[in-house]
Structures are given as structure tokens and as C-alpha cells.
Amino acid sequence: MSQTPDISIFSPTFLANPFPLYQQLREQAPVFWSRELGAWLISRYADVKMLLTDERATPDQKAWSGYPELKNSAQPTEHVQWALDATLLLCHGAQHARMRRFANTPFQSQGCGRIARVTEQVVHEVLEGFSGRKEIDLLADFSAPIRIKVMGRLFGAGFKPEEEEFLVTGTNLALGFLEPSLAPEAISRNEGALRGFRALVENVIRRGREAGAQDSILGDLLAPNREGDRLSDEEVLSLVFSFLLAGTEANGSLITMGVLLLLEHSAQLAHLQREPDRYPDAIREILRYRSFTKFLPRYLKEDIPLHGSVMKQGQIALLLFQSAFRDPETFENPDVFDVMRKRQHELLAFGAGPHRCVGERMAEIEAVIALREFFKRFPKATLRGDEADWVKHHMLVAVPRSVPVVPVLLS
């Protein structure tokens, strides 16, 4: 193990600017045991990519040495256990292959056309609502309504007002079950959040069935595949849960990050205003430069030697995406935000290998339309307040809080 001094990912210094510490790790301890987290920190791009596709490392938390204690916790864990078994992100083997075949359908060419059509409608409606306003809250007024309304319409049922309110904060809380923790308060919080989230998913499926689920993601999941096979009711519940959990939070975070970065880099925004066809390239650069995923855990199914250390079976390896995407061995001038950057390396923001996110195209389509139309309508928008204030909602996702970074002056 490296003798590099331990670091705290919860310290104000790290949260304010983690990149100097990431550089220290890449240079001095690319495989670093964090006593604070009880996990290995993997900071170089090549190593992160390797562990995303290595069969010796799995997203399945049941391979973690602490899982038996979690399962036998005195705290109720019914919904946590269900989520660990149900989400597409964590299942593997034959179950994962079967589920993924059905999960891919809504994101093929016809489905992407539907996503673009719905997103155009929602973004237009949201922007029309800003008529006469001089200032908006970027999260509450723009990215949150887009991510929630788009997802609701794509499922063919829409969300009730109380469900929309729940998704604004409840999605982030529900994602907490992905954090490997045995703390009673964390287990209790995750159980409560997932209980509410599962109830919402069940209601969305019920209303979608009643409405006929035509031309919708739910309709795609309920239909038989080419071989005549169908998903069971429990499998449909699992995939809708996975889509809502990953899609609403990640897509909204990407839109928020994108607007903030372009407001902070006016010269880069000017490139896009001259060449709006480059917005897909800009989305890739936004994901690289300020990835909304800080850490992604992998659980070791067997010992893995790497850079002089041996990561043991049952331990956790945290893949530091934000560090990997600033690795100078992979990216030229990695600390420069450049929307014209050439595509020379695979972007790992949505994973790699068999567990690469099926909703990657949806996130890109939503973000391209949202950013392009926002800056077309408000080319002179400015950020009111200080630079983005990064906070830890939970260890996997970094999003800006509503104060003070979100107020945006429209003209």
C-alpha cells in the first residue's frame, strides 16, 4: 500500500476543488487504500477503463465482504435488498443479458426519435414559461422540469404534482443505496427513500397500462420481442425502476452542468453559437471536464494486483471518474475546457463493457436540445453569484446545490 498521506473526500478543500488531490493520487499513488472509506481509490484512466470491463470486478454489491452484515442488519432492509437485486446496473450474467436485450429497445433509432420529439416539446414549453422573467433558478425552473416532464411523457403516463416534487429530491436520496455503507442511519435513509421510489414506479406502471402504453418506453417494455418472449411483471418493474432512477438524476445533472460550464466559459459558448452542430461534441467535453459521477464502485470477486498493491477479494475499488478524465496520459491539456476537442479516446462517463449505460443516447439527446435551445433563446444569460458550490449529496454523484450557483440572469 502507498504511504501517501490519507485524504478526506468529505473535507471542504476536496469538495471545493478535488483536482489537485486527484493529480497527487495519479502521480504518487494510482492505487490508494483510503482508511476513511475502507476502499481502494483508482485514479488513472487506463486503470479505470480496465476495471470497468474486468470480470474480476463486478458492480454487484453482493460480492462485497460487508454484504452479509448489511443483509443481516437489525435495520429493515426489504427495499434495499430489492433494489440490489432489481436494478439493471447491478445484475450480471444471464439475468443481465436477458434484461439488457429488452432495455435496449427504447433507445434504438425509433426510440431516439421519440426522445428527441418529446424533449423538443418540453424544452419549448419550459422556455416559453420564462417570458417576461429576468432571472431563473437553473435547477428548479429549468433542468428539473425538463428531466421530470420528459421522463413522464416518455413513459406514457406523466407524473402527478406530488410525484414530480418527490422526484426532485427523492431520486438523489434513493441513489444512496449504491453507496456501500453499514451505518444504521444510512441503511434507514436508503430503505425509506427506496420504499417511496418503488411505490411511485408501481403507480406509473399501473397508470401506463390503463392508458394503453402506446408509443412509450413502457409500451416497448410490455411488448414481446422478436422471439415472442415477454418480460415478467417483476422484470418490467425492475427496468422502469432502473430507468427512472438513473435517467432523471443523471440527465438533469448533465443539463445543469452544461449550462453552468458554458456560462463560465463564454469563448466556448461563442464557438457553439457559431457552430451549433458541435453541441454533441460539447456534451462529451462537459462529461469529461466536470463529470457528475465522482466515484463508481466495483467489488472484487478475486485478488487483483495493480501497481505494486494487491486489492483483495471482497474489497471495494472506487473508480475516480473525475480524476481519470483529467489524466494527462490520456487527454491533451486535460484541465482545459474545449468544446472543439477531438474524439481520440473512449469516454467512460456512461461506463464501458456489458454494463455501459443503455440510456447514454437519451442523456445526450436531452442535453443537446436543452442547451442549444436555452442559449438560442437567451444568448446573453449570465450566472449570478459565485462559482459552483459542490456538495456531497452522496458519494457517487456531485451536483450543484441551489444556492448560490443556480440563479441565472436571462439578459
Side-chain angles (χ1 to χ4, degrees), residues 116-367:
R117 183 175 67 252
V118 170
T119 303
E120 293 271 10
Q121 294 169 353
V122 169
V123 170
H124 177 76
E125 292 168 10
V126 170
L127 291 175
E128 282 296 306
F130 296 161
S131 179
R133 295 183 60 175
K134 295 182 178 180
E135 183 176 321
I136 62 165
D137 183 312
L138 183 57
L139 278 170
D141 297 331
F142 188 63
S143 62
I146 290 172
R147 68 182 172 99
I148 291 170
K149 292 181 184 299
V150 166
M151 190 65 79
R153 293 184 191 182
L154 286 174
F155 273 98
F159 298 121
K160 295 181 177 180
E162 61 271 22
E163 291 173 335
E164 290 188 357
E165 184 177 351
F166 174 85
L167 285 170
V168 170
T169 57
T171 307
N172 203 300
L173 288 174
L175 278 166
F177 85 96
L178 293 172
E179 176 182 344
S181 175
L182 297 173
E185 61 274 16
I187 295 173
S188 177
R189 182 178 62 248
N190 295 340
E191 179 70 12
L194 288 167
R195 184 185 304 112
F197 206 92
R198 175 168 179 166
L200 183 150
V201 171
E202 290 173 339
N203 287 333
V204 167
I205 294 174
R206 176 182 53 77
R207 290 200 304 271
R209 287 181 184 272
E210 291 172 354
Q214 297 299 316
D215 191 23
S216 69
I217 289 178
L218 183 59
D220 292 342
L221 298 180
L222 293 174
N225 63 14
R226 294 176 181 176
E227 291 75 35
D229 190 15
R230 289 180 181 270
L231 291 169
S232 67
D233 289 348
E234 189 62 28
E235 288 171 331
V236 171
L237 178 65
S238 168
L239 285 180
V240 175
F241 166 74
S242 299
F243 289 168
L244 285 179
L245 190 67
T248 52
E249 187 62 39
N251 295 5
S253 294
L254 177 54
I255 292 170
T256 302
M257 303 295 182
V259 174
L260 287 174
L261 270 175
L262 292 173
L263 289 176
E264 293 168 1
H265 296 80
S266 57
Q268 299 301 308
L269 176 58
H271 283 311
L272 296 174
Q273 289 173 326
R274 289 192 297 268
E275 300 181 54
D277 289 345
R278 299 299 294 265
Y279 266 102
D281 294 324
I283 298 305
R284 285 178 55 87
E285 179 67 351
I286 290 163
L287 287 165
R288 184 201 69 81
Y289 186 80
R290 192 175 286 174
S291 172
F292 52 75
T293 302
K294 278 185 179 177
F295 310 96
L296 195 67
R298 282 295 182 265
Y299 304 93
L300 307 181
K301 296 162 64 177
E302 57 183 88
D303 293 358
I304 300 179
L306 189 61
H307 297 305
S309 296
V310 178
M311 302 184 292
K312 297 292 187 180
Q313 178 183 355
Q315 291 183 326
I316 305 166
L318 291 178
L319 313 185
L320 308 187
F321 275 25
Q322 291 182 340
S323 174
F325 298 164
R326 298 288 188 98
D327 189 342
E329 294 297 317
T330 303
F331 301 98
E332 185 177 355
N333 298 322
D335 294 324
V336 174
F337 178 62
D338 180 9
V339 298
M340 312 297 278
R341 185 181 295 274
K342 295 180 181 179
R343 298 191 182 195
Q344 295 178 315
H345 301 280
E346 180 182 6
L347 184 64
L348 304 177
F350 293 95
H355 282 91
R356 190 179 185 95
C357 178
V358 296
E360 178 177 357
R361 282 288 294 132
M362 177 177 175
E364 179 183 307
I365 290 169
E366 276 192 41

